[in-house]
Amino acid sequence: LVFTSGATQALALVGENFAWSSASVFAYAEDNHTSVVGLRQYARRAGALCGTFLLQDVACLRDGLDKATPLGDAVDGQCVDWPRDLRARGPNLIAFPGESNFSGARSDFTSVAALQRGPLRWRVLLDAAKLACSPGVLDLRACPADFVAVSFYKIFGYPTGLGALIVRHDAAPLLAPRSGPAGVQGPVGAFGPSYFAGGCVAAVSATSEFAVPRPALADWLERGTSDFLGIAALPSQMACLRKVGPADARRHH
């Protein structure tokens, strides 16, 4: 669990730290929030292929990219096609909302495990900022997404500026840093050195490239001072929400 300033920062952390490569594919639903669409900038910079799909077709992508439309070339805007023999060269990332901000439609959560096991071995990013506002709807045992972004502000209304990125343990290496001769690097296969800040490193030298990232992923990604007062308020907020009851009961308030 990585605390963030909101769902937007949670999504940005995935884009910034994901182990993109020129062999990666990034596919995202057309219904996604702008904060998800913006992740294609990171993918493009690494030379990854990008494309879109309709939310109702997410289950179809477990077998391939027939239902996805590739974006045009980032430089000249020319149309491109998916390579014919596109397998799990990746790592590949697929992103979709738990619940659409535009239509209110919900994703097919039963397809998540099939996407992960399919030929592209998708890593699944779920934007649950809206879905999590309905208590009990998001069950990560039934929906084993690799990365889940939530906003506590959207759920409770207080504290503002607090969200979280939930990362599965087996997906953590795709975001984890590593030490190298040129300082702290991103995950294997990612591009360029990684930014670090206060609290992110166990040791650092200002006069050389020496830097050792802290071993816990949350320590690495939670840069600077977290909203510890807001975090401390979460248990009471959750207890209050449970006391009010399910969505049907809350409609009467």
Side-chain angles (χ1 to χ4, degrees):
L1 177 66
V2 180
F3 286 107
T4 66
S5 64
T8 294
Q9 189 194 10
L11 295 165
L13 286 176
V14 176
E16 180 184 349
N17 294 278
F18 190 74
W20 303 107
S21 77
S22 59
S24 296
V25 174
F26 175 48
Y28 56 92
E30 294 180 6
D31 273 24
N32 267 312
H33 190 277
T34 305
S35 300
V36 176
V37 177
L39 299 183
R40 71 188 184 197
Q41 303 299 92
Y42 292 108
R44 286 290 207 188
R45 191 166 65 180
L49 296 173
C50 298
T52 63
F53 59 91
L54 299 177
L55 188 59
Q56 62 264 31
D57 291 335
V58 62
C60 300
L61 272 73
R62 65 181 182 270
D63 298 320
L65 292 166
D66 290 343
K67 288 290 187 176
T69 302
L71 291 183
D73 185 86
V75 177
D76 56 21
Q78 296 297 314
C79 294
V80 297
D81 293 321
W82 299 116
R84 292 184 178 180
D85 186 20
L86 195 59
R87 293 285 169 174
R89 301 179 302 161
N92 303 315
L93 183 67
I94 187 171
F96 50 88
E99 184 175 339
S100 171
N101 287 300
F102 303 103
S103 65
R106 289 181 175 173
S107 300
D108 179 9
F109 302 129
T110 62
S111 65
V112 171
L115 288 167
Q116 294 166 328
R117 294 193 304 265
L120 288 169
R121 295 292 189 271
W122 290 109
R123 291 295 186 169
V124 178
L125 169 59
L126 180 69
D127 177 8
K130 185 179 181 184
L131 182 72
C133 294
S134 301
V137 175
L138 178 61
D139 183 353
L140 295 181
R141 290 170 296 185
C143 176
D146 298 284
F147 313 105
V148 180
V150 297
S151 168
F152 294 118
Y153 164 68
K154 287 183 173 65
I155 299 173
F156 305 119
Y158 173 88
T160 59
L162 185 62
L165 173 65
I166 304 170
V167 183
R168 283 180 58 87
H169 288 294
D170 61 357
L174 292 171
L175 304 183
R178 57 194 172 90
S179 297
V184 179
Q185 302 288 311
V188 175
F191 54 94
S194 292
Y195 171 77
F196 57 83
C200 294
V201 290
V204 64
S205 170
T207 58
S208 71
E209 296 284 0
F210 176 78
V212 179
R214 296 184 67 177
L217 183 65
D219 291 337
W220 169 251
L221 295 180
E222 291 178 8
R223 297 162 181 166
T225 303
S226 297
D227 182 7
F228 54 87
L229 293 178
I231 295 170
L234 289 177
S236 60
Q237 298 282 23
M238 293 178 181
C240 181
L241 196 62
R242 293 190 187 98
K243 185 177 180 180
V244 171
D248 291 340
R250 288 186 289 116
R251 292 194 185 99
H252 296 292
H253 288 265

